[in-house]
Amino acid sequence: MTDAPLPAALAEIESPLAQDGFAFLHAPAAHALLAPYGLADWDGFAASWNRLGLDRYMADGGRYRRRRHATYTVSAHGIARKKHQPHYQSRDYNELNGGVERWFRPMETAIGHHPALLAVLRLMQRLVTDLTPPDRRPDAWHVEIHQFRIEARAGEPGEPTPEGLHRDGVDWVLVLMVQRENVASGETTIHDLHRRPIGHFTLTEPLDAALVDDNRVYHGVTAVRPIDAARPAWRDVLVVTFRHQ
């Protein structure tokens, strides 16, 4: 691993996160932050989204979401993948799909230690360490990795956040755009703890990124629809969450 990014580059994302509880980063800025942490072979990493499994836990009956999942311990001492385990959210945070253990296909072994993923985890570890007060900073973070593909068809829009406006029940959330193919909309909206809107943007280019302080804001994403109903349409994102062990 090379030296960390210059403080000025980190300030571009840390300042709005600290002030507003969220930050939107365009792809060139995200790339500049990730490159010093070893970002490489993005195309190979992105291609793994073609090998996800169907999410069979959708309480709305939808079959528009595909995903894989992995968990890690991340600390100043390094990154270690944990034994595969279910994803769980209480119904306080996910009224639609919460309250049950959801076992998704594990992230592929090679993708689980891919340089692009490790760069994301290293950068996030730096950011959350900087932004967490020392008296609340854990020795290690519990990290969950989610690969999502939301598919859209004529008359059947895809819902990136079918639970609606929500918090994830963690400390920090990163949403990184991987690819959009033939879809419209998918706007991210940010609301304060009183559910008043405070920001909105759309992740469109690979490496566009949204970071959220989950303790301070709600977030949601509008449905995606195919631009050309005759062609496949999907929205691929990487979601990474950090919370105290």
Side-chain angles (χ1 to χ4, degrees), residues 160-172:
T161 56
E163 65 272 33
L165 192 67
H166 68 285
R167 292 160 61 209
D168 286 335
V170 296
D171 292 296
W172 304 96

Side-chain angles (χ1 to χ4, degrees), residues 8-18 22-23 25 33 127 131 209 211:
L10 284 171
E12 182 176 351
I13 192 167
E14 289 186 1
S15 178
L17 265 174
F22 73 98
L25 208 60
L33 283 166
L127 289 170
L131 291 164
L211 288 105

Side-chain angles (χ1 to χ4, degrees), residues 64 149-154 156-160 177 179-187 202-204 221-229 231-237:
Y64 51 80
R149 169 167 288 183
I150 304 299
E151 298 173 331
R153 301 174 182 85
E156 186 182 359
E159 296 282 356
M177 174 55 61
Q179 185 184 31
R180 289 169 60 104
E181 177 64 30
N182 186 37
V183 292
S185 193
E187 181 184 58
T202 303
L203 306 178
T204 58
V221 183
T222 61
V224 293
R225 294 173 171 79
I227 297 170
D228 179 351
R231 295 195 294 114
W234 65 80
R235 177 184 187 264
D236 291 349
V237 298

Side-chain angles (χ1 to χ4, degrees), residues 99-140:
V100 298
E101 292 187 344
R102 290 180 282 166
W103 287 91
F104 302 113
R105 285 189 182 182
M107 178 177 280
E108 295 170 336
T109 300
I111 299 304
H113 60 255
H114 192 282
L117 180 64
L118 296 181
V120 169
L121 294 178
R122 290 167 182 149
L123 174 61
M124 282 294 293
Q125 195 274 334
R126 168 69 186 270
L127 289 170
V128 302
T129 298
D130 286 354
L131 291 164
T132 303
D135 61 339
R136 294 182 51 232
R137 195 177 297 155
D139 293 332

Side-chain angles (χ1 to χ4, degrees), residues 31-115:
H31 186 277
L33 283 166
L34 287 164
Y37 288 98
L39 180 68
D41 185 31
W42 175 259
D43 289 344
F45 183 60
S48 69
W49 266 254
N50 295 321
R51 302 187 295 272
L52 307 185
L54 184 67
D55 184 342
R56 300 183 182 277
Y57 291 92
M58 298 297 295
D60 64 357
R63 292 294 182 265
Y64 51 80
R65 183 157 76 178
R66 298 182 180 275
R67 66 195 295 179
R68 285 184 186 263
H69 176 245
T71 57
Y72 290 78
T73 295
V74 177
S75 72
H77 304 294
I79 297 168
R81 186 168 180 175
K82 297 183 178 183
K83 182 179 178 180
H84 191 54
Q85 59 188 263
H87 175 56
Y88 180 84
Q89 291 174 296
S90 76
R91 292 184 62 83
D92 292 335
Y93 290 103
N94 190 329
E95 293 183 1
L96 178 66
N97 296 318
V100 298
E101 292 187 344
R102 290 180 282 166
W103 287 91
F104 302 113
R105 285 189 182 182
M107 178 177 280
E108 295 170 336
T109 300
I111 299 304
H113 60 255
H114 192 282

Side-chain angles (χ1 to χ4, degrees), residues 144-216:
E144 295 198 41
I145 309 293
H146 306 267
Q147 294 177 282
F148 284 108
R149 169 167 288 183
I150 304 299
E151 298 173 331
R153 301 174 182 85
E156 186 182 359
E159 296 282 356
T161 56
E163 65 272 33
L165 192 67
H166 68 285
R167 292 160 61 209
D168 286 335
V170 296
D171 292 296
W172 304 96
V173 181
L174 166 71
V175 182
L176 189 66
M177 174 55 61
V178 175
Q179 185 184 31
R180 289 169 60 104
E181 177 64 30
N182 186 37
V183 292
S185 193
E187 181 184 58
T188 298
T189 60
I190 307 293
H191 293 65
D192 66 17
L193 293 180
H194 298 288
R195 296 180 178 260
R196 297 175 300 207
I198 57 174
H200 62 91
F201 47 83
T202 303
L203 306 178
T204 58
E205 300 299 322
L207 289 175
D208 277 357
L211 288 105
V212 171
D213 181 342
D214 197 56
N215 293 300
R216 294 175 56 196

